[in-house]
Amino acid sequence: MTTPPKQIHLAAHFPGVNNTTVWSDPAGGSHIEFDSFRHFAQSAERGKFDFMFLAEGLRLREQNGTIYDLDVVGRPDTFTVLAALAAVTDRLGLTGTINSTFNEPYEVARQFASLDHLSGGRAAWNVVTSWDAFTGENFRRGGFLPQDQRYERAKTFMSTTWELFDSWHGDEIVADKSSGRFLSTPSPGTFQHHDAHFDISGQFNVPRSPQGRPVIFQAGDSDEGRDFAASSADAIFSRYAQFDEGRAFYADVKGRVSIRPDAQPTAHPARRDIRLG
Amino acid sequence: MPEPRAMLHLAVALDGAGWHPAAWREADARPRELFSARYWSDLTQQAERGLLDFVTFEDSMHLQSDDPFAPDERVDRVRGRLDAELIAARVAPITRHIGLVPTVNTTHTEPFHTSKAIATLDFVSRGRAGLRVQLSARHDTARHFGRREFPPLTRDTLDDPSVRGVVVDQFDETADYVEVVRRLWDSWEDDAEIRDVATGRFIDRDKLHYVDFAGRWFSVKGPSITPRPPQGQPIVAALAHNTVAFRLVARVGDVAFVTPKSSAQVVDIVTEIRNERSDAGRSDDAIHVFGDLVVLLDDDHESAIARRRRLDDLAESHVGSDALIFAGTSGELADLLIEWQSAGLSGFRLRPAALPHDLAQITDALAPELQRRGVFRTAYPTEPHSLRQLLGLPRPLNRYAATTNAGASLS
């Protein structure tokens, strides 16, 4: 008797701002017009891919003080493109890279919960962190984080968005026309979070989404990055293409996964079924 | 020979199950679908069938409440909403003509993110995006972000000088916010992407510009990560009730939503906004002033009045509004719109009291009535068109390109 082969998962990364994207071919399409994204997403869906993926960079790259012009430059807003793609696809997962340094949990949680509602449960979040003042110059928050704090902020950012996603349980909206009762509880979405990075409280205003929360991706490779991924992610992007290196990375992260949940009881307990891609 | 009548513009404001707090209890209401894509798609497509200029999507960074300054604990009202900008993006690919104008909070969000989001909405809708800015001085909303403190607001403290100062500052901050958003939209010249294979350059970097904004509340470097949107400058709108808000929209906006209760008030408001526009040195830039009205429309007057009474009874409290609440027939509403148009308004943003009923009345009864009277379009343009074109607004020159040209002519 043979065991059926394990199925692999496939994702499609929209080519854009990096040195592997070929833009010089006359057939190379726009990296900004919606038709390119529509074509890409519908092709991935036709191929039965799990999800598509958008990267992000919040400041144009520079070299020697001038904007770097030899690769593709410019990209659209991640949430906006993914919400629009939800209209022209039915099954494909929609993964967006969103920075945990230059956003606030309340807003990002609203955006992901909304995307999950509007896509029928297809939202996923690749969590990245920044620490550089260079990118910070585009934001009112400004400034930067010491490098050792960026994963700390990312971790607490994620656990805070978790509290927001979980602040609605899914049974609040009854919408009973005859009795006139819309809500089952007078204060849905109540939350309170206090730590060194976020001191927030009140009511979240997006009801619980189909998935409850987006699927979480992470791609960090430093020691802190691996710890963060092990404690927070559902799936990890690995950069290793050689078998032995890849196996070592897998073993290392799996080892961290088995340790971290106890060290991070409030974040995402029992995250042992982590996928490495 | 009589002059041809000026056309008026029509927009509709979508919010939850409609603007009446009891609307969700109507037989045709879909309160369980308020958080679904289908609900918003159906409403926007209905508005498009009525040939409207644009729809707005309401939003807030707090749970809805009857109390304008604090949460309430009511369980008999619609509570919860989706992000307006994402709703607009979700319906863009399934519409072709109608403008999409989401509400964006300017107090707690980043102008850099908002600028690229609306630019991208303009790309996915092929030039139909707008931005309705809204500030929030609510204490509880600020607690959701934990980055700034506002004194608790109540009706009694509104006239307190320190509270007034905070509110006036917020309007100034919103003006800065829009300035940054607009500069970022211009931070790429239209022809910056060159794909020059010979030199290997994807862009002409001389056509990308730092915006270098430094103000009292924030500074932003730029350029945007998103190229200049199809409209160049998507439209910017704001709801305005008083002088400080009139000043904001006159300084930075393309469309003002205002709430007159009479023809005489229309004249006063329009005059004040035009004067503020002039004081801001922008009298040459067209500005639309749209009247906001909550509407309950039925085929006969008595039915509309009775429906309003029935909804008010269901709501179990006095239902008021910042805008005039109109209950009657589409013919009666057309009379009022044309009268107020003559007093100086160029369009109207109608707030359907109950969805989908009052939206269907707008598209299926009011719009044809206005067409019969020769004041509303009978078709969208056959060529692809932008929201700016629907509103008769030119595509603006890029402020940075103009600077470059001026510099070149001096050398």
Side-chain angles (χ1 to χ4, degrees), chain A residues 45 49-51 89-94 119 122:
Chain A
E45 186 163 82
F49 277 45
D50 291 67
F51 65 94
T89 56
D90 295 316
R91 308 284 186 91
L92 187 69
L94 303 166
S119 64
R122 294 188 280 142

Side-chain angles (χ1 to χ4, degrees), chain A:
Chain A
M1 216 172 73
T2 56
T3 35
K6 258 167 100 176
Q7 298 229 327
I8 59 169
H9 297 276
L10 284 180
H13 179 167
F14 188 87
V17 183
N18 58 60
N19 60 12
T20 58
T21 301
V22 177
W23 55 260
S24 52
D25 191 297
S30 167
H31 62 289
I32 198 80
E33 297 290 343
F34 183 62
D35 279 349
S36 298
F37 293 90
R38 181 202 308 260
H39 177 77
F40 183 84
Q42 290 179 339
S43 300
E45 186 163 82
R46 201 166 55 246
K48 301 184 173 51
F49 277 45
D50 291 67
F51 65 94
M52 64 160 285
F53 175 89
L54 294 182
E56 188 176 65
L58 294 172
R59 180 147 178 200
L60 298 182
R61 295 183 299 165
E62 293 185 4
Q63 193 171 45
N64 303 324
T66 53
I67 291 167
Y68 188 71
D69 57 1
L70 301 180
D71 292 334
V72 168
V73 182
R75 56 173 111 229
D77 177 71
T78 300
F79 281 119
T80 308
V81 168
L82 293 182
L85 287 174
V88 297
T89 56
D90 295 316
R91 308 284 186 91
L92 187 69
L94 303 166
T95 304
T97 301
I98 293 296
N99 193 295
S100 60
T101 306
F102 300 111
N103 286 289
E104 294 300 322
Y106 196 89
E107 189 182 12
V108 167
R110 290 185 84 233
Q111 290 167 315
F112 271 115
S114 298
L115 178 63
D116 205 45
H117 279 289
L118 293 169
S119 64
R122 294 188 280 142
W125 176 12
N126 178 41
V127 187
V128 296
T129 69
S130 299
W131 55 274
D132 60 296
F134 177 70
T135 306
E137 285 182 337
N138 280 336
F139 295 95
R140 64 199 294 166
R141 157 172 290 284
F144 60 94
L145 289 167
Q147 182 150 15
D148 60 347
Q149 274 188 29
R150 67 177 180 141
Y151 280 110
E152 186 190 310
R153 177 178 159 102
K155 258 186 234 168
T156 185
F157 190 105
M158 293 223 22
S159 59
T160 307
T161 57
W162 243 254
E163 288 166 36
L164 296 170
F165 292 134
D166 288 347
S167 67
W168 287 71
H169 308 288
D171 56 0
E172 289 85 353
I173 295 174
V174 289
D176 180 20
K177 291 183 183 179
S178 56
S179 70
R181 194 145 179 133
F182 187 83
L183 290 175
S184 63
T185 169
S187 298
T190 301
F191 68 91
Q192 201 168 65
H193 182 101
H194 306 288
D195 66 27
H197 293 274
F198 304 106
D199 176 16
I200 63 176
S201 60
Q203 282 179 286
F204 189 52
N205 68 354
V206 182
R208 193 164 183 83
S209 72
Q211 295 185 106
R213 57 169 180 81
V215 173
I216 301 297
F217 290 90
Q218 234 282 309
D221 191 43
S222 66
D223 195 47
E224 297 98 326
R226 292 181 184 201
D227 274 346
F228 174 53
S231 70
S232 310
D234 296 304
I236 299 174
F237 298 120
S238 154
R239 64 189 185 85
Y240 297 104
Q242 300 298 321
F243 184 79
D244 287 344
E245 289 174 350
R247 192 158 65 174
F249 179 75
Y250 182 90
D252 179 75
V253 176
K254 279 284 191 181
R256 294 170 195 251
V257 170
S258 63
I259 296 165
R260 293 308 295 190
D262 302 323
Q264 293 286 315
T266 57
H268 326 295
R271 175 108 350 148
R272 285 160 206 276
D273 181 28
I274 200 159
R275 291 184 189 282
L276 295 156

Side-chain angles (χ1 to χ4, degrees), chain B residues 183-293:
Chain B
R183 284 193 197 181
L184 288 166
W185 285 335
D186 277 352
S187 65
W188 291 54
E189 295 184 35
D190 291 319
D191 53 355
E193 184 180 315
I194 52 171
R195 296 191 183 226
D196 185 43
V197 176
T199 60
R201 292 178 307 144
F202 185 81
I203 51 159
D204 176 352
R205 62 184 168 211
D206 291 338
K207 294 188 172 180
L208 267 57
H209 303 275
Y210 296 107
V211 303
D212 278 327
F213 181 88
R216 187 172 149 203
W217 292 276
F218 45 76
S219 55
V220 175
K221 179 80 179 171
S224 179
I225 59 167
T226 306
R228 192 165 194 241
Q231 294 184 100
Q233 294 274 318
I235 69 143
V236 175
L239 174 63
H241 298 109
N242 52 34
T243 296
V244 63
F246 296 151
R247 183 169 304 146
L248 168 70
V249 73
R251 278 168 68 189
V252 304
D254 303 296
V255 183
F257 304 135
V258 300
T259 54
K261 306 297 192 305
S262 68
S263 239
Q265 283 185 10
V266 169
V267 172
D268 291 345
I269 290 169
V270 170
T271 303
E272 189 169 358
I273 290 177
R274 298 225 178 278
N275 289 341
E276 292 286 354
R277 190 74 157 181
S278 172
D279 290 349
R282 298 195 58 195
S283 27
D284 291 342
D285 296 338
I287 182 165
H288 281 288
V289 184
F290 277 36
D292 263 28
L293 292 157

